[in-house]
Every structure is written in structure tokens, then in C-alpha cells.
Amino acid sequence: MESENLKDLSVVIPSFNEEENIKLIYPKLKSTLEGLKKSYEIIFVDDGSTDKTYDFLRKICQDDKNVEAVVFRRNFGQTAAISAGFDYAEGDVIITLDADLQNDPEDIPFLLKKIDDGFDVVSGWRMNRKDPLITKRLPSYISNWLISSFTGVKLHDYGCTLKAYKKEVAKNIKLYGEMHRFIPALAKWVGASICEVKVKHFPRKYGKSKYGFSRIGRGFLDLLTVKFLLIFSTRPIQIFGRFGLISIFLGFFSGIVLIIMKIVHKVDMTGNPFLYLSILFFLVGAQFISMGLLGEIISRTYHESQNKPVYFVKEVLTHKKKVKQ
Ligand code: UDP
Ligand code: MG
């Protein structure tokens, strides 16, 4: 990352078992970027692929001085891949793009136009999304709505990887777990201005989607964490205390109900199992959520204090040399 190597643009492509797709996206992307008349680099992040993705990347890195590949030791997930791309990028503007041809590289100039207009983050909006309704579009509709209302960042489409960032913003965002979908919210937190641009979307032709239904639950827990970090992380008592107060209130309330049932209806206090059960569930739930949030803070302290990366790089392929890590 020497300073004389600085570029105008870095395009980061997380790639996990996308052998057919990257062969097609590379020339397409290259012709778009050449047309921009800017200096650029394309950074493929090979997220532990087990197909021929690595072989292809090795070849293009040898042939093309504008291409670099960061090769992970194993699959660390799309968020880690994006995070590595941000770390290795040298461009003033960083663009992220899916490897699977669902995004169109030709939309890049439209994103850049908005960056030139002064926005720090430009997010793609897949207006006419070509994914299955039940497994993808419906959950994503709900999650977009939830993220918008939880974080206060009003975007139509958080899940679109096609985004452009000013370098200062991208490099200042720490990503964990599956947080890449919350980058706009995290960016707002560091004071970035954000806008949306409509982009094209295509169905996936080759290879398989890496996500299924389980993403929904995981996404919701991530959303809780983001909300917590955005608002409460500097004063945890506000959230833990609130749970505590609610719990005490419920305990008090159920105590009164119990006494009334005993005095008025002569119902035996010990003979009402559902009451105990619901109190128990509530307390256990509150405990779990609080513990989870505490865990998030601890994990951040752990990562940030030791500067531990969320991924491990096996090698970096470049035109000049193969850099072993
Ligand atoms: N991806 C990755 N690591 C993973 C999962 C996905 O690098 O563990 C990449 C994948 O190769 C693709 C992008 O992230 O370029 C989006 O993944 P996918 O197309 O499976 O997501 P979907 O479009 O189905 O939401
Ligand atoms: Mg896809």
C-alpha cells in the first residue's frame, strides 16, 4: 500500500465459488472501467473457494496489472471479504460488487456521478429485483423495512452489494459477523451522507446462492446489535436498565394478580403454572438478550484492542509478485 500506487477507483468483489461468473464479469467490468478514463484496481477477494475461482484469479492477476486477489485461508463470509477489500483498497473511491453477475458493472458510472455530487456513500437500489419471491424478495422487503425503522437511515434496499464509498468512510467502518448489509447505518453513524441510485438486477445464471432462510434470523440479531451500537453503546444502563425495570414491573404486577386471585377468587397461588412459566420465559429472554449485547461489546473490545482481523489471508496475488502472508 505505497502512496505512489494510489488509484482513483478500487472495485472490490467478494467471490465464493463463482468460477463461471468471474470469467464473465471480469471482461465486462474491465471494459466499463477503461471507459471511465480513471486509474483503477480490481480486487477479487477469494473467500475460500473450492472450485476453479483461484486458478482463474491467478491467471488474470498475472496478465493484468490492475487486478489483485486477496485469497482467504478458508470461507470467512461475505462481510469479511468486503472488509478485506476495504483494507487492501488504495482507491479514493471504493466500489463493491457481487461476483455473480446479478449486478451490472455498467451502473458504476451512475454511482460515481453521485459521489462527485458530494455524497459519501451511494447505495444501489434493485428496483426490479430478479430473485425468488418467497426465499429472497419477501424476507428482504421485511428486513429493509425493519432496518429503515430501527436505524433511521431511509433506504429501499440494503442488501444490494453494488455500492460506492469514499475511501475515508469505508476505511473507518469496522465490520463483523454479517454486518455488510448495515454499512449504510454504520456509515451514518460516522457522519457520512448517503443516497440511493436505481440499478439493474439480473437473475443468477451460474452457481448457487450462498444464502437461504437461516439468514433471516441471523439478520434480525445483527439488526438488534446495530441498533444497540448506534444508540446505546455509550450508555448500556439505558438498555439493560430498561429490561430490568420492565422485569421488575412485571414481577410486581404478577404479584398483585396472584394476591387478587387468592383473595377474591380463592385460587391457590401455587396452582397457576402458566404465570410462573411466563415470568420465567420473560426473565430468561431478557437475560439472553442482555448477555448477547454484552457479548457484542466484549467481542468488539477484543477485536479493536488487539487489532485482530476478522479474516486470515493465505496469499495476495498481484501482477508483480505473489505476496505470502
Ligand atoms: N460471497 C462470499 N462469501 C460467502 C458468501 C457469498 O464472498 O460466504 C459472495 C458471493 O460469491 C457473491 C456475493 O457474495 O459474489 C453475494 O452472494 P450471493 O449471490 O450468494 O447472495 P444473494 O445474491 O443470493 O443474496
Ligand atoms: Mg447473488
Side-chain angles (χ1 to χ4, degrees), residues 23-303:
K23 279 181 194 157
L24 299 171
I25 199 164
Y26 165 63
K28 226 176 147 192
L29 178 62
K30 196 167 170 58
S31 82
T32 307
L33 294 175
E34 292 289 337
L36 292 173
K37 307 274 177 277
K38 288 179 189 263
S39 60
Y40 70 88
E41 62 181 353
I42 303 174
I43 304 177
F44 285 97
V45 183
D46 178 0
D47 185 11
S49 299
T50 48
D51 63 356
K52 298 205 176 64
T53 296
Y54 174 82
D55 301 326
F56 179 73
L57 290 179
R58 207 187 152 87
K59 196 178 161 311
I60 50 173
C61 287
Q62 270 162 12
D63 298 345
D64 186 339
K65 66 175 183 7
N66 295 319
V67 182
E68 191 176 312
V70 178
V71 185
F72 281 179
R73 287 188 181 278
R74 64 165 171 86
N75 178 248
F76 283 94
Q78 193 182 347
T79 301
I82 290 176
S83 180
F86 285 174
D87 292 343
Y88 280 82
E90 294 178 338
D92 290 333
V93 177
I94 303 176
I95 290 166
T96 49
L97 184 76
D98 276 343
D100 61 3
L101 290 165
Q102 293 202 261
N103 299 134
D104 189 347
E106 283 173 18
D107 282 321
I108 291 175
F110 301 111
L111 301 190
L112 292 177
K113 165 93 190 28
K114 288 284 180 190
I115 293 277
D116 288 342
D117 288 349
F119 287 99
D120 298 315
V121 177
V122 184
S123 186
W125 171 13
R126 299 162 293 179
M127 260 281 266
N128 204 347
R129 195 167 162 190
K130 300 286 194 303
D131 274 326
L133 178 69
I134 299 293
T135 52
K136 296 263 175 186
R137 280 178 8 237
L138 194 65
S140 121
Y141 181 77
I142 298 168
S143 97
N144 286 326
W145 178 78
L146 275 175
I147 301 175
S148 275
S149 34
F150 262 61
T151 64
V153 183
K154 304 284 174 217
L155 293 186
H156 295 88
D157 185 7
Y158 283 85
C160 181
T161 308
L162 181 54
K163 289 187 172 72
Y165 309 86
K166 281 196 185 143
K167 175 164 111 189
E168 315 82 80
V169 174
K171 300 232 176 220
N172 269 313
I173 295 175
K174 283 243 169 209
L175 297 171
Y176 304 90
E178 294 187 20
M179 294 284 181
H180 63 275
R181 272 165 289 134
F182 302 101
I183 298 179
L186 299 170
K188 193 186 169 199
W189 194 53
V190 300
S193 55
I194 302 157
C195 76
E196 233 173 0
V197 160
K198 288 175 195 162
V199 295
K200 288 176 234 90
H201 194 243
F202 306 102
R204 189 187 249 279
K205 273 201 211 133
Y206 307 101
K208 282 202 292 277
S209 168
K210 313 296 180 293
Y211 300 104
F213 258 131
S214 69
R215 167 153 76 176
I216 303 170
R218 296 202 306 263
F220 185 70
L221 293 176
D222 278 344
L223 177 60
L224 271 185
T225 310
V226 169
K227 175 72 179 170
F228 175 75
L229 288 172
L230 288 178
I231 297 170
F232 297 111
S233 65
T234 48
R235 26 178 214 147
I237 188 63
Q238 289 295 330
I239 194 154
F240 294 114
R242 215 169 284 183
F243 275 119
L245 288 178
I246 294 171
S247 156
I248 289 167
F249 172 78
L250 285 178
F252 185 70
F253 182 73
S254 59
I256 291 186
V257 172
L258 270 186
I259 292 167
I260 293 175
M261 284 172 88
K262 171 82 180 163
I263 295 172
V264 181
H265 303 287
K266 307 269 182 284
V267 178
D268 200 350
M269 279 196 194
T270 44
N272 208 338
F274 282 104
L275 194 60
Y276 293 106
L277 209 61
S278 61
I279 294 170
L280 184 74
F281 274 136
F282 178 81
L283 289 178
V284 168
Q287 287 285 335
F288 267 121
I289 292 173
S290 317
M291 295 285 275
L293 294 171
L294 255 182
E296 284 288 336
I297 293 197
I298 294 169
S299 92
R300 273 158 179 74
T301 317
Y302 170 76
H303 282 293

